[in-house]
């Protein structure tokens, strides 16, 4: 239950950051909450063994932590360069997408109660849903990249002084 609450906070903060400025970055409160709670979600996910031993959900948790670390590194490295900031924002968007995989799996293999939409985490229809969401996130990433490139052309640097000082 705690893991689910942490995940929902992270996902919500990610959407707030994404929709507020069409990018996710640690220079906003929503961005910092997203990174923190997404990392906590991935870490707590490593200790959940509902489906046996170490498996796909654990690999996804590790991948999420790697993507977050790379995003933070790019953000810090790119504090004065747009390229690093664009890459960081895209990496954070990938981490937001990663929230959907276990979210869809755990929700729709249990709901509606008594007649879940999918039989198991390996249901082909579930894989198709994840694929559709992946395509949606690729589209978001492309639009996001173009948006940030336009901002870079105008010289509107989206990084706060607090992030540049780190």
């Amino acid at each position: 239950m705690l893991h689910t609450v942490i995940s929902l906070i992270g996902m919500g903060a990610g959407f707030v950051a994404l929709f507020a400025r069409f990018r996710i970055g640690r220079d906003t409160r929503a961005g910092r909450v997203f990174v923190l709670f997404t990392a906590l979600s991935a870490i707590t996910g490593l200790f959940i063994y509902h489906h046996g031993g170490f498996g796909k959900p654990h690999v996804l948790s590790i991948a999420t932590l790697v993507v977050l670390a790379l995003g933070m590194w790019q953000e810090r490295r790119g504090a004065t360069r747009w390229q690093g900031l664009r890459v960081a924002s895209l990496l954070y968007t990938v981490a937001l997408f990663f929230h959907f995989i276990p979210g869809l799996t755990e929700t729709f293999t249990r709901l509606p109660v008594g007649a879940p939409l999918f039989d198991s985490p390996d249901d082909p229809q579930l894989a198709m849903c994840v694929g559709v969401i992946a395509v949606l996130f690729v589209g978001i990433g492309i639009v996001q990249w173009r948006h940030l490139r336009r901002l870079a052309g105008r010289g509107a640097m989206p990084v706060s002084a607090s992030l540049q000082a780190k």
Side-chain angles (χ1 to χ4, degrees), residues 5-156:
V5 170
I6 289 169
S7 298
L8 290 173
I9 291 170
M11 185 183 288
F15 278 114
V16 167
L18 187 61
F19 290 130
R21 298 180 325 159
F22 209 64
R23 71 179 214 74
I24 302 172
R26 291 179 303 132
D27 58 324
T28 66
R29 175 174 286 146
R32 287 187 301 273
V33 169
F34 167 75
V35 171
L36 174 64
F37 278 80
T38 299
L40 288 173
S41 173
I43 291 166
T44 59
L46 289 170
F47 298 98
I48 298 173
Y49 289 95
H50 287 293
H51 304 288
F54 188 87
K56 294 175 190 176
H58 300 99
V59 172
L60 183 61
S61 288
I62 292 168
T64 299
L65 291 170
V66 168
V67 167
L68 288 174
L70 287 172
M72 290 176 11
W73 176 70
Q74 280 291 324
E75 196 171 24
R76 186 171 284 202
R77 180 179 162 271
T80 58
R81 291 184 301 221
W82 271 95
Q83 198 74 2
L85 295 174
R86 285 194 300 238
V87 171
S89 187
L90 287 175
L91 287 166
Y92 292 146
T93 302
V94 168
L96 182 60
F97 164 69
F98 285 172
H99 273 291
F100 276 90
I101 298 169
L104 285 173
T105 302
E106 295 302 319
T107 300
F108 294 116
T109 56
R110 296 177 185 181
L111 296 175
V113 175
L117 291 177
F118 306 117
D119 296 331
S120 74
D122 298 320
D123 190 317
Q125 291 178 330
L126 175 61
M128 188 174 72
C129 287
V130 171
V132 167
I133 291 174
V135 169
L136 178 67
F137 268 87
V138 167
I140 289 170
I142 290 168
V143 173
Q144 185 180 41
W145 186 268
R146 289 180 178 167
H147 171 73
L148 292 171
R149 186 174 58 191
R150 278 193 303 273
L151 286 179
R154 286 189 260 161

